[in-house]
Amino acid sequence: MAQNIDRGSLSAIFSGGNTDARPVLQCVQIKPLQGSVERYRVVFNDISNFVQSMLAIQANHVVTEGKLKKGCFVRLKSFTANSIKGKRILIVLDLDVLEELGVCDKIGDPQPLQIGEDEDVKPNPTTISSGGFYGEQKHQPQQQSLPSRSNPSASSSHGNIYPIEALSPYANKWTIKARCTSKSEIKTWHNKNGEGKLFSVNLLDESGEIKATGFNDQCDALYDLFQEGHVYYITSPCRVQLAKKQYTNLNNDYELSFERDTLVEKAEEQDGVPQVRFNFTNIGDLQTVEKDSVIDTIGILKEVAEVTQITSKTTSKPYDKRELTLVDNTGYSVRLTIWGNSASSFDVAEDSVIAFKGVKVSDFGGRSLSLLSSGSMSVDPDIDEAHKLKGWYDAQGRTDTFSSHASMGASAGAAGGRGDPLKTIVQVKEEELGFSEATDYFTTKATIIYIKQDNVSYPACASPDCNKKVIEQDPGQWRCEKCDKTFPKPEYRYIMSLNVSDHTGQIWLSCFDDVGRMIMGMSADQLNELKENDEKAAGEIFQEANCQTYLFKCRAKMDNFQDQRRVRYQVSGASPLNYTSESAKLADLIKLYH
């Protein structure tokens, strides 16, 4: 196997001489990182050296799909080399797992990668298929810097473009190239400490999204420069800090705060950076979405109400609001509220397609939606989902009758009033359940043959009805951003991946706390404590959970994340077999042959 590895490639990468290579390395360790976003730390080996690496979010699928394993071989396709706290770190944006090479024990005796202490390791991005996005720029944009920038010409070359995914509080001397997908209004505040103003923008590149905020002087200097849809270079100094999750809907642990010397320039080249990225939830699926979740949705504008005004209970200020009615091809309608200037200036014709990013799900009237101040809407966007929806509406949807979630009642379950047909695993696959726009529901009788023991649970908020993931800031200090509270310890909750089998095939299912408790026979807190004190005993609990047969109620839905389309099978409920009823069913089947 050693002949397959590109020996010495890690040293070449960090020395700056091998940035265009696609090295083959061995994976010798995989560990999940603590945080509100699913991230993985990986150690790669090139026989001579090993290096700590971090997978970008869009590369997580190689772990969740079970492809990236300890001892396997990979080919790195896109990465950046960084120095964080004096350590060499690879940020891996894209890679291929070479499954045909199999897995084996660690090859060689690799040593930690050592670079001279006097060497300043700068981010060394590889080139990927994005019009030179991570490589050298073919055109240099005209300087449009802040008035307070003392030496704007120093950053004119943009030689080192960082991906947003690689930004952290430990990165310095960076430049990102990103599209402004959303810009807020200017907000002001007055309190005992004084007064001020701020605005924020959402920034997007090929690796991810991040929120950036400008306060006071930076608000004055930058507000008019940022325009939605345009591409900008942003160069440090610019503070990278932990994101305040209650104020953002983006999937990033960090956010930016513009400083006095932050350089912002409008890019001459507006191509090569993606447009707004959506992860749509169909209107028909809203009943299965947890209250207060933040989602993206798309629909046909069926009705537009007049602007009304409400008075805030906290500030006593009046706010404009307007209610819109959206429909889609699931046969459901939903009421969506927009606020402020978005409400008063709304001028979109009925029967248009509107895509919303960052709307909050409420259980008022069954299910309703509200556009967040950090959210955005796109009218008749040039995307596949919009074209399909418009085609359906023009062909038949215009005359259809739509159901409202309000008629279902706020307490209706995900499967309430719906028959979930019993399917074998091969039927689920052959009938392509979950491949259509609508969510498919089914029940299957299957036996657990494997439970992933990594990431079997997560630390959750101890507040009633919250269940959000908490972050350990200090020993004995677990913080929930949603509740704005700190707890001495979390309440662990199951988030399990099961491989189940019947006589026709195998399938991966995901399940949550209630189902996990039934399968494991104990709470996630108890299992987590057992793993810490007696790992062998915990392993026996997993073994006992295997080879047990259940009736699983499932939902199948196409998941579109980071341009990767795949069907997810989620368990909404499970129950042990009732052997009396199962025997009666078999007896009835036997009678059919007589």
Side-chain angles (χ1 to χ4, degrees), residues 322-369:
R322 188 193 295 266
E323 293 185 349
L324 313 176
T325 301
L326 301 179
V327 299
D328 70 4
N329 54 3
T330 62
Y332 281 89
S333 66
V334 69
R335 187 180 68 256
L336 189 150
T337 304
I338 56 177
W339 304 87
N341 287 341
S342 296
S344 57
S345 62
F346 186 81
D347 186 22
V348 179
E350 292 183 355
D351 301 337
S352 299
V353 179
I354 308 184
F356 290 89
K357 183 174 182 63
V359 293
K360 187 175 182 179
V361 179
S362 167
D363 60 1
F364 180 75
R367 278 295 184 270
S368 58
L369 304 174

Side-chain angles (χ1 to χ4, degrees), residues 379-396:
V379 180
D380 293 326
D382 186 15
I383 56 177
D384 289 343
E385 292 89 346
H387 300 317
K388 291 178 181 177
L389 205 55
K390 187 65 173 175
W392 157 81
Y393 188 72
D394 290 340
Q396 68 177 79

Side-chain angles (χ1 to χ4, degrees), residues 122-196:
K122 297 181 179 180
N124 213 351
T126 63
T127 301
I128 61 177
S129 57
S130 60
F133 176 48
Y134 292 111
E136 292 183 358
Q137 305 301 311
K138 297 180 181 179
H139 300 284
Q140 296 180 0
Q142 182 180 357
Q143 296 292 331
Q144 298 181 17
S145 61
L146 281 170
S148 57
R149 182 72 171 182
S150 59
N151 186 15
S153 62
S155 298
S156 60
S157 64
H158 306 301
N160 292 321
I161 300 295
Y162 253 67
I164 285 175
E165 184 68 34
L167 292 178
S168 76
Y170 313 109
N172 52 43
K173 297 180 181 178
W174 51 261
T175 297
I176 60 172
K177 182 183 180 184
R179 188 179 302 278
C180 173
T181 59
S182 174
K183 182 176 81 167
S184 74
E185 301 173 12
I186 294 178
K187 301 176 183 178
T188 59
W189 75 85
H190 304 269
N191 56 35
K192 62 181 180 180
N193 298 320
E195 59 184 39

Side-chain angles (χ1 to χ4, degrees), residues 63-309:
V63 178
T64 57
E65 293 173 358
K67 294 181 180 179
L68 189 66
K69 306 172 183 177
K70 182 178 179 180
C72 74
F73 297 86
V74 304
R75 176 178 286 109
L76 302 188
K77 297 169 64 179
S78 176
F79 53 88
T80 60
N82 294 300
S83 176
I84 298 178
K85 287 187 173 179
K87 297 181 180 179
R88 313 310 175 202
I89 300 288
L90 272 184
I91 307 294
V92 180
L93 303 171
D94 194 14
L95 75 165
D96 286 334
V97 178
L98 306 179
E99 296 179 275
E100 65 274 13
L101 298 181
V103 298
C104 67
D105 293 335
K106 181 175 67 176
I107 297 176
D109 185 24
Q111 301 300 310
L113 186 64
Q114 299 292 336
I115 304 293
E117 293 296 328
D118 57 341
E119 294 185 36
D120 181 18
V121 179
K122 297 181 179 180
N124 213 351
T126 63
T127 301
I128 61 177
S129 57
S130 60
F133 176 48
Y134 292 111
E136 292 183 358
Q137 305 301 311
K138 297 180 181 179
H139 300 284
Q140 296 180 0
Q142 182 180 357
Q143 296 292 331
Q144 298 181 17
S145 61
L146 281 170
S148 57
R149 182 72 171 182
S150 59
N151 186 15
S153 62
S155 298
S156 60
S157 64
H158 306 301
N160 292 321
I161 300 295
Y162 253 67
I164 285 175
E165 184 68 34
L167 292 178
S168 76
Y170 313 109
N172 52 43
K173 297 180 181 178
W174 51 261
T175 297
I176 60 172
K177 182 183 180 184
R179 188 179 302 278
C180 173
T181 59
S182 174
K183 182 176 81 167
S184 74
E185 301 173 12
I186 294 178
K187 301 176 183 178
T188 59
W189 75 85
H190 304 269
N191 56 35
K192 62 181 180 180
N193 298 320
E195 59 184 39
K197 55 186 172 182
L198 64 87
F199 86 104
S200 63
V201 291
N202 290 347
L203 302 170
L204 166 73
D205 72 5
E206 205 164 272
S207 71
E209 295 178 272
I210 195 167
K211 178 184 177 182
T213 303
F215 295 88
N216 299 324
D217 292 343
Q218 283 66 49
C219 179
D220 292 334
L222 296 176
Y223 187 78
D224 291 334
L225 176 58
F226 277 107
Q227 300 295 325
E228 289 186 2
H230 291 190
V231 177
Y232 298 86
Y233 291 103
I234 299 165
T235 303
S236 62
C238 182
R239 190 183 314 137
V240 184
Q241 59 195 22
L242 282 174
K244 298 178 177 64
K245 291 296 185 179
Q246 66 269 36
Y247 301 125
T248 179
N249 59 299
L250 301 185
N251 191 19
N252 197 322
D253 279 337
Y254 299 112
E255 63 186 20
L256 303 178
S257 180
F258 297 125
E259 297 185 344
R260 181 176 65 86
D261 289 333
T262 302
L263 181 65
V264 178
E265 307 162 278
K266 186 176 179 180
E268 290 182 351
E269 292 180 345
Q270 295 288 304
D271 297 329
V273 180
Q275 302 289 333
V276 180
R277 182 176 293 146
F278 295 100
N279 187 16
F280 291 124
T281 297
N282 294 329
I283 295 174
D285 292 336
L286 291 177
Q287 200 67 37
T288 67
V289 177
E290 184 181 353
K291 175 182 176 290
D292 295 329
S293 297
V294 178
I295 64 167
D296 305 338
T297 195
I298 186 171
I300 299 288
L301 181 61
K302 193 70 173 175
E303 296 177 6
V304 181
E306 295 296 325
V307 175
T308 58
Q309 205 169 68

